[in-house]
Each structure stands twice: as C-alpha cells, then as structure tokens.
C-alpha cells in the first residue's frame, strides 16, 4: 500500500495562488493513478482533479477547469495541484488519493474509485 501526506495549504487572498503537494511512500508511486478531492465545511467531499500513472489524461471538475493544474513527478514520488485565481468558494480541506485500479473519465470523480487517502491540508481563501 501507499501512504500519502499533503502539504502546501494556507491562507491566501482571492485571486492568489497556492501549490499543494502530496508525497507518497511505501509502494512504487508510479503504480498509482492519483486524484485531488476537497471538502468544505458542511459539504460532501468532492472531486477536483485526477491524473493517470505517468501523467497523461488529466481530468478536472468544471469548477476548477482553467484555474487548477494537476501534475506529478514520479521520480520524487510527488503529486501537485497548482491553484491559480483562487476564489472564496475554493476554501476547503484538500485531500490527495491514490488507486491502483484503472482510472478514466467515467470513474475518476468517484470517492469509491480510490483506495488510499492522505490526511488533508487546509486551504482558506479570503475575499
């Protein structure tokens, strides 16, 4: 199995940027398709973005498309989420997730598609 640890969250003004990182340890990082989810207070956890084993075919939620970019560096066992033009509605705890199962556009947004989760990092955007 893989252990995941997120970092990079913080407080930022609307319109600003943050880059989240998620470091994996344990099994080979490139064995896993990866995703980012977020959960705002009082709301369900929702899909943000996903990326395949070797960086191809990224998927994005409509709410972040054009503002967020998911990427990975398998040599560093690290997943990234570059977040630009942040809005107050982006405020949430952000989680990275991993799965060894096939990931495609039809299932990448389902929580149940992922096997392993990090503990989350808080992102707060002030308006």
């Amino acid at each position: 199995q893989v252990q995941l640890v997120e970092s990079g969250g913080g407080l930022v003004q609307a319109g600003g940027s943050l880059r989240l990182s998620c470091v994996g340890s344990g099994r080979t990082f490139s064995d896993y398709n990866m995703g980012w989810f977020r959960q705002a207070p009082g709301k369900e956890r929702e899909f943000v973005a996903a990326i395949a084993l070797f960086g191809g075919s990224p998927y994005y939620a409509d709410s972040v498309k054009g503002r967020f970019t998911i990427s990975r560096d398998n040599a560093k066992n690290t997943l990234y989420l570059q977040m630009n033009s942040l809005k107050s509605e982006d405020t949430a705890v952000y989680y990275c997730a991993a799965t060894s199962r096939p990931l495609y556009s039809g299932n990448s947004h389902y929580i149940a598609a992922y096997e392993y989760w990090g503990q989350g990092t808080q992102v707060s955007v002030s308006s």
Side-chain angles (χ1 to χ4, degrees):
Q1 63 181 23
V2 64
Q3 292 78 45
L4 304 171
V5 179
E6 304 95 334
S7 63
L11 175 64
V12 64
Q13 289 188 333
S17 299
L18 280 176
R19 188 176 80 158
L20 305 184
S21 299
C22 171
V23 177
S25 61
R27 274 186 57 184
T28 304
F29 191 71
S30 59
D31 285 347
Y32 296 93
N33 296 298
M34 302 294 297
W36 286 101
F37 286 73
R38 67 187 181 185
Q39 188 166 16
K43 295 188 176 181
E44 294 185 351
R45 192 170 298 190
E46 65 174 8
F47 170 74
V48 174
I51 191 167
L53 299 176
F54 295 102
S57 304
Y59 307 114
Y60 295 96
D62 288 342
S63 59
V64 306
K65 203 171 293 183
R67 300 188 298 122
F68 291 10
T69 302
I70 188 172
S71 62
R72 64 189 298 165
D73 185 339
N74 289 336
K76 295 182 178 180
N77 295 339
T78 303
L79 174 74
Y80 301 101
L81 185 68
Q82 178 66 44
M83 305 186 295
N84 299 328
S85 302
L86 283 160
K87 306 175 181 179
S88 57
E89 51 263 44
D90 295 319
T91 294
V93 177
Y94 283 71
Y95 299 90
C96 69
T99 181
S100 59
R101 303 166 186 157
L103 199 68
Y104 48 94
S105 60
N107 74 345
S108 62
H109 58 288
Y110 288 122
I111 292 173
Y114 298 83
E115 301 166 273
Y116 306 102
W117 294 82
Q119 84 290 347
T121 186
Q122 176 71 47
V123 171
S124 299
V125 184
S126 63
S127 57

